[in-house]
Amino acid sequence: MTTPVLLRVDDLSVGYRDADGAEVRLVDGVGFTVHEGRVLCLVGESGSGKSLTMAAVLGLLPEGLEVLSGTVRFRGQDLLTLPERELRALRGNELAMVFQDPMTALNPVKRVGAQIARAVRAHHPRTPRAQVLARVEELLTEVGVPDPAERARSYPHQWSGGMRQRAVIAMAMANRPALLIADEPTTALDVTIQAQIMDVLADARATSGAAMVLITHDLGLVAQVADEICIMYAGRIVERGTVWTVFDEARHPYTAGLLGSLLSAERAGSRAYAIPGSPPAPTRRPPGCAFATRCELPARSELCGTTRPELRPAADVTHESACHHADRTLEFARAVTA
Amino acid sequence: MARFLVTRTLQALATIFVVVTVAFLLGRLSGSPAALLLTENATREQIDELNTRLGFDQPLPVQYVEYLRGILGGDFGDSYRQAGVSSMDLVLERLPASLSLGAIGLALGLVLAFAATITTHLARSRTLRTTFLGLGSARQAIPDFFFGLLLVLVFSVTLGWLPSLGNRDPLAIVMPALTIATAQFVVYTRLLDNSLSEQGRLDYARTAVARGENRFRVVVGELLPNASLPVLTIAAINLGSFLGGLVIVENVFAWPGMGQLMLSAVYSRDFPVVQSGLIVVAALFILSNLLVDAASALIDPRVRRA
Ligand SMILES: Nc1ncnc2c1ncn2[C@@H]1O[C@H](COP(=O)(O)OP(=O)(O)O)[C@@H](O)[C@H]1O
Ligand code: SF4
Ligand SMILES: [Mg+2]
């Protein structure tokens, strides 16, 4: 059962030119597809390029960084070449975003309700005031904020982190987006609040039918919500597939390592697997596989140090891996997750 | 809120008290004013009589208490130069002229700085930034009195468009106000530019873009209120150097304000006038700081709560 393609990213590279004019690729040739109403998870350690990938999709790259290659098609339209005006009409409307840190995502000097109201007004400037107020209240109710009329008139510093994230979600849902991008929406929150926020997101998606790209490094969360999953490492996608094929049959040693550390963490008593070392800096990536220095796959070979593995079908066309020895990973995966 | 008001009032009173004391000590430092006020061949009796009348025959602490008591009763001492005229009246008479020039000059400077900076940020133009800051710095490198004289040379002497002296002609304010405004311009342009750039990198700015706001809305509606806060604070700190500049500008353009009065009072050793002038300046300082705090509280809800 597949739905039409909503977002299709191909060969997306993001980075900058260093003092010598050489490209530094923080995101390097990333591609994936999001279908209408489905959930795609971008997973990887911090610094792997997840946020920059999605910032590039929305045209929100920080100053100094640029798109170095690729296309981003939303309903067939290339967002990277779209005039700013038309891109603006999509942002916050069909394409909405929820950010990682709710403590800083809201303007400290403006009332929360007014900020949500702006999301409505930005796209429907002539909506009568009373109607906007009613809509803000309705949105706050949907995300589970008690006393919405009252709370709307207060300022962000009067809200807790969890409540602020609800407000940010309300803002994102204001115009019933077709695609919601959520960048680690629970990472900055208390563990007890995290599940609540995920429920709010699930409810919001259920009412709007929005597709979602969820950025996270929490594989437990992925298991609960994802349809598709992309594992990112050092700016590239190293494994891609439906969530259960990837979880059941990891075709990349990095994915296996991530699963290993997740499962052993859940099962107290068993010895925890931890991927050794840390990822290479974007300016110092090795010529071959970027994971080579940390890879513990018994089958790894000389090829790993010399040739960069490209993403290609591993088991079948829907399950891809960027490992020279993708056919030898299952045993390793079983060993580290045992 | 009540506690805030009480603290602020106590602070204000303490500041005024310190200024009054310093003003008193300055006035007594140079000893009896007899040498100033009487002719060279005044008799011993005349000198003694003057010292008794002004209280200079009393020990310093007694004089101080007398001075304080006078102030509490609204008597700030008469001018040495204009016998029988209250020094405070002389100062207050000049206050409106100074206030109007200072306020218009500062407001114009702020308006120019905000307009320049907002334009720069809307256009995201490095060229504009360099141009505005370059022009502003070049202007600031010229001393106020010299810049004022240049204006006079061009607009009064050569072109004959504007009156160069006094404040009778309504157009007379143009040049002194421009001198002040252009001197303040670069200070606030640089401040606001930094502040806006800094705010632009914060998460809430990205949130605003992500919900579909246009550039104008982001810069003016979201960043500007936050970016103005540090500018306001610095404006309050900068007030001292601003008032210093005002004194010079008043003298260059013969603007009949307090600055001009105080400078001539210093030259003629008319200490009561200098003292009263200092007290009024201190009061202005306190008042502006209160205004700045009120404005900050108006913009920032977190200040309001504190
Ligand atoms: N503005 C920037 N300038 C230079 N490097 C950046 C910038 N923003 C992020 N990076 C680098 O790009 C890489 C990817 O960042 P990011 O996409 O934020 O990672 P993730 O979201 O996966 O944790 C990191 O190595 C980070 O240090
Ligand atoms: S290509 Fe080689 S080094 Fe890279 S993940 Fe596969 S086996 Fe490990
Ligand atoms: Mg991130």
Side-chain angles (χ1 to χ4, degrees):
Chain A
M1 181 204 74
T2 48
T3 54
V5 172
L6 188 63
L7 180 77
R8 188 190 164 96
V9 174
D10 279 302
D11 186 35
L12 179 66
S13 299
V14 175
Y16 57 93
R17 275 163 223 283
D18 66 13
D20 308 324
E23 279 182 0
V24 175
R25 298 192 162 204
L26 302 169
V27 172
D28 190 0
V30 162
F32 55 84
T33 307
V34 184
H35 293 263
E36 274 179 20
R38 313 267 284 190
V39 178
L40 175 108
C41 281
L42 275 187
V43 182
E45 280 164 297
S46 141
S48 54
K50 308 179 297 292
S51 297
L52 288 182
T53 300
M54 294 323 290
V57 166
L58 272 186
L60 294 177
L61 285 178
E63 223 173 298
L65 298 186
E66 53 181 323
V67 172
L68 297 170
S69 75
T71 54
V72 173
R73 294 192 187 283
F74 179 73
R75 297 194 202 282
Q77 226 178 358
D78 189 356
L79 300 184
L80 298 179
T81 55
L82 211 58
E84 172 65 21
R85 236 188 118 73
E86 286 171 46
L87 187 56
R88 211 161 58 217
L90 289 175
R91 281 194 205 117
N93 198 8
E94 292 230 77
L95 286 162
M97 186 141 183
V98 173
F99 298 99
Q100 178 167 354
D101 189 354
M103 299 316 272
T104 54
L106 294 169
N107 190 333
V109 307
K110 300 183 82 181
R111 292 173 204 277
V112 177
Q115 298 186 53
I116 299 171
R118 279 302 315 158
V120 179
R121 284 224 182 276
H123 299 281
H124 308 280
R126 270 175 286 281
T127 319
R129 199 181 122 80
Q131 210 171 311
V132 174
L133 285 181
R135 178 76 179 126
V136 168
E137 234 176 276
E138 183 186 12
L139 284 163
L140 285 174
T141 311
E142 277 175 22
V143 297
V145 172
D147 287 328
E150 173 81 25
R151 298 302 296 272
R153 281 191 297 275
S154 55
Y155 291 90
H157 73 261
Q158 295 164 308
W159 292 50
S160 67
M163 280 295 154
R164 286 192 213 187
Q165 195 63 304
R166 286 171 198 257
V168 172
I169 294 170
M171 195 187 296
M173 300 311 294
N175 298 300
R176 300 226 171 281
L179 177 65
L180 184 64
I181 297 165
D183 187 350
E184 308 206 29
T186 60
T187 307
L189 298 173
D190 274 0
V191 182
T192 48
I193 312 288
Q194 292 184 353
Q196 293 177 16
I197 294 300
M198 286 316 296
D199 285 346
V200 169
L201 277 173
D203 288 348
R205 286 193 46 247
T207 29
S208 64
M212 175 162 78
V213 174
L214 176 68
I215 296 175
T216 180
H217 53 236
D218 181 349
L219 280 175
L221 206 61
V222 174
Q224 289 167 32
V225 300
D227 296 308
E228 267 90 23
I229 175 172
C230 291
I231 308 282
M232 280 190 79
Y233 185 78
R236 296 173 64 80
I237 290 180
V238 294
E239 183 163 6
R240 182 166 73 183
T242 61
V243 65
W244 288 117
T245 56
V246 172
F247 271 45
D248 289 346
E249 302 189 349
R251 292 293 181 168
H252 195 283
Y254 178 60
T255 314
L258 287 180
L259 287 167
S261 41
L262 166 77
L263 294 180
S264 45
E266 276 179 0
R267 259 185 261 120
S270 77
R271 67 197 158 77
Y273 179 79
I275 305 169
S278 52
T283 45
R284 249 179 269 141
R285 293 205 184 115
C289 174
F291 191 59
T293 52
R294 309 172 70 189
C295 184
E296 293 190 317
L297 185 78
R300 71 184 185 283
S301 65
E302 232 168 77
L303 193 60
C304 305
T306 55
T307 312
R308 195 172 74 175
E310 299 299 327
L311 197 61
R312 57 173 174 256
D316 59 87
V317 283
T318 62
H319 189 174
E320 298 166 288
S321 163
C323 171
H324 291 304
H325 306 289
D327 53 342
R328 311 280 296 277
T329 56
L330 294 187
E331 206 172 315
F332 174 67
R334 230 166 282 138
V336 296
T337 53
Chain B
M1 194 62 202
R3 216 182 111 185
F4 172 78
L5 282 178
V6 169
T7 345
R8 288 311 292 257
T9 313
L10 287 179
Q11 272 173 8
L13 286 177
T15 312
I16 292 273
F17 178 74
V18 169
V19 170
V20 164
T21 306
V22 170
F24 168 81
L25 288 176
L26 280 180
R28 304 297 135 143
L29 224 51
S30 45
S32 157
L36 286 172
L37 300 180
L38 299 172
T39 54
E40 256 172 53
N41 40 21
T43 64
R44 187 74 243 164
E45 287 79 54
Q46 281 175 306
I47 293 173
D48 286 345
E49 193 268 335
L50 180 84
N51 278 342
T52 316
R53 182 159 58 81
L54 295 178
F56 276 86
D57 55 341
Q58 306 284 326
L60 207 57
V62 176
Q63 290 183 36
Y64 180 55
V65 171
E66 281 304 311
Y67 182 60
L68 287 185
R69 192 184 296 170
I71 287 179
L72 286 180
D75 175 13
F76 290 82
D78 289 352
S79 160
Y80 289 166
R81 293 295 170 189
Q82 303 179 50
V85 180
S86 153
S87 62
M88 191 49 101
D89 287 353
L90 282 175
V91 172
L92 291 180
E93 193 180 65
R94 299 292 195 100
L95 186 60
S98 286
L99 278 185
S100 55
L101 177 58
I104 290 175
L106 184 59
L108 186 64
L110 282 171
V111 166
L112 290 176
F114 272 72
T117 317
I118 291 170
T119 314
T120 304
H121 280 258
L122 286 179
R124 280 193 257 233
S125 160
R126 251 179 231 193
T127 322
L128 275 182
R129 171 177 295 130
T130 322
T131 310
F132 286 132
L133 287 178
L135 285 175
S137 306
R139 157 65 187 93
Q140 213 194 17
I142 308 172
D144 283 354
F145 75 90
F146 191 70
F147 184 79
L149 290 178
L150 275 180
L151 286 183
V152 170
L153 200 66
V154 175
F155 293 103
S156 304
V157 180
T158 310
L159 296 171
W161 290 352
L162 295 168
S164 65
L165 292 177
N167 70 342
R168 294 210 194 290
D169 191 311
L171 281 182
I173 200 167
V174 173
M175 287 193 293
L178 267 182
T179 308
I180 293 174
T182 52
Q184 300 292 311
F185 173 76
V186 74
V187 177
Y188 293 109
T189 302
R190 185 164 291 134
L191 259 173
L192 189 64
D193 180 49
N194 282 339
S195 194
L196 271 178
S197 303
E198 208 171 283
Q199 294 292 327
R201 285 189 286 271
L202 296 183
D203 285 353
Y204 76 85
R206 191 182 50 182
T207 307
V209 178
R211 71 172 173 242
E213 304 275 24
N214 60 31
R215 183 79 188 149
F216 183 84
R217 271 278 174 187
V218 172
V219 172
V220 177
E222 301 287 324
L223 308 184
L224 193 60
N226 287 289
S228 326
L229 288 168
V231 176
L232 274 175
T233 311
I234 301 292
I237 296 171
N238 183 41
L239 203 68
S241 79
F242 165 74
L243 289 175
L246 189 59
V247 172
I248 291 168
V249 172
E250 284 186 3
N251 279 282
V252 170
F253 293 97
W255 187 265
M258 269 169 50
Q260 204 197 26
L261 175 77
M262 280 174 73
L263 203 63
S264 66
V266 168
Y267 284 138
S268 63
R269 305 231 174 92
D270 196 345
F271 291 115
V273 173
V274 176
Q275 287 166 351
S276 298
L278 283 178
I279 293 170
V280 169
V281 168
L284 282 178
F285 233 98
I286 292 167
L287 211 64
S288 338
N289 272 297
L290 270 178
L291 281 179
V292 165
D293 284 350
S296 299
L298 211 62
I299 295 174
D300 192 345
R302 292 162 300 181
V303 175
R304 220 139 60 217
R305 185 184 51 164

